[in-house]
Amino acid sequence: MATRFLFIAMALAVALGGCETTPEQDANNDPLEPVNRVMFDINFAVDRYVGVPAGAVYTAVVPKPVRHGIHNALQNLGAPVTFSNDLLQGEPERAAQTLYRFGVNSTFGIGGLIDIGSIAGVPPHREDFGQTLGVYGVGEGPYLVLPFIGPAPPRDLAGHYIDAFMDPLYYISFEGRHKLLIGRHFAGLADGQAEAMGAVKQIEASADPYAAARSAYRQHRNAEIRNGVPDTNHLPDITNVPPTSDTFSPFDTDTHKE
């Protein structure tokens, strides 16, 4: 079922991408913008009238230490996917950090409820197969927004599907597996809504919420792909500018002497 949905979504993107587009849509690589805006309005209405109130209730009812514990445990459950993508990206040091965090958090951190890794000076990071594709130069593809899912360009949508095969919980059979998957799903929804409340309000206050959300998504994904390293591709190339023969100091008062 998941495979069928993936191919249908990507086929839709390709089919609609062949339709006539405006220069603005071409510039933004958003040939599906009219459809995407409808999907965005649906998702944003759900976030505003369901997600934000649910997040507010969650933060009001669940004590902060418990919320942090849930967040840490969810992060720890995602470590195998991050570890696999660290290796695929050729990042052995980051893979070792992920493996260390998973080991100490799963044991001394009581299944990840306590983030021992961060206490020990090894901060978390997140990797997925969409980022891995981006590292190897695969483009995002036409921007796509899916109902109740959000931004899902072909590269990231395909990456999300591949990540399922890297997650042991999806194919290792053990007692209580389904309960754990269901619990992780709903805990992730609650945690995500609590984290996103501020972002929803910021986007709502912008002149064009759709464009703001699209820009924020792309900036966030680019930062993840580059592991936080600033993108300097848009800056002028000054590597071939010849150096000046003399250094200049603003405190040098004899620069005009013969």
Side-chain angles (χ1 to χ4, degrees):
M1 185 66 179
T3 305
R4 184 182 304 174
F5 176 77
L6 171 64
F7 285 123
I8 289 174
M10 295 184 68
L12 176 64
V14 173
L16 293 179
C19 299
E20 185 176 354
T21 59
T22 67
E24 182 180 357
Q25 291 169 3
D26 290 337
N28 291 319
N29 192 18
D30 191 0
L32 316 177
E33 184 171 340
V35 177
N36 283 338
R37 283 185 176 272
V38 174
M39 298 300 102
F40 172 81
D41 289 341
I42 294 172
N43 293 340
F44 200 64
V46 173
D47 283 334
R48 285 181 60 191
Y49 300 113
V50 179
V52 170
V57 171
Y58 176 71
T59 56
V61 172
V62 181
K64 189 173 183 179
V66 177
R67 297 200 310 272
H68 283 176
I70 292 173
H71 179 80
N72 293 338
L74 290 169
Q75 193 173 63
N76 193 58
L77 287 172
V81 173
T82 292
F83 175 75
S84 300
N85 283 288
D86 282 331
L87 293 178
L88 290 173
Q89 293 173 24
E91 296 279 359
E93 183 176 345
R94 287 168 68 86
Q97 292 174 352
T98 302
L99 187 61
Y100 169 78
R101 285 182 50 83
F102 183 70
V104 298
N105 287 351
S106 297
T107 53
F108 300 107
I110 316 175
L113 291 173
I114 304 173
D115 189 355
I116 301 295
S118 291
I119 296 174
V122 182
H125 67 272
R126 175 183 171 276
E127 299 292 340
D128 56 60
F129 195 71
Q131 292 172 243
T132 298
L133 292 174
V135 167
Y136 288 102
V138 177
E140 174 188 85
Y143 189 68
L144 177 66
V145 180
L146 296 179
F148 309 112
I149 294 177
R155 181 193 64 197
D156 296 340
L157 183 61
H160 178 73
Y161 177 73
I162 298 300
D163 283 336
F165 291 95
M166 301 181 187
D167 189 341
L169 290 180
Y170 279 105
Y171 58 86
I172 294 179
S173 180
F174 57 90
E175 187 176 355
R177 169 178 170 269
H178 293 292
K179 292 181 180 179
L180 179 59
L181 286 172
I182 293 172
R184 181 175 71 168
H185 176 70
F186 283 103
L189 287 176
D191 181 69
Q193 291 297 343
E195 293 273 326
M197 286 193 298
V200 171
K201 293 178 181 178
Q202 289 180 354
I203 291 174
E204 184 179 10
S206 63
D208 185 348
Y210 172 79
R214 180 182 60 196
S215 176
Y217 175 81
R218 283 175 166 165
Q219 290 181 47
H220 178 70
R221 289 299 286 172
N222 287 336
E224 287 185 325
I225 291 169
R226 300 177 64 85
N227 293 332
V229 178
D231 183 2
T232 59
N233 291 331
H234 64 287
L235 298 178
D237 183 6
I238 60 173
T239 56
N240 295 323
V241 176
T244 57
S245 58
D246 297 315
T247 58
F248 171 77
S249 170
F251 302 103
D252 185 358
T253 57
D254 297 327
T255 54
H256 298 289
K257 287 185 178 181
E258 296 182 358

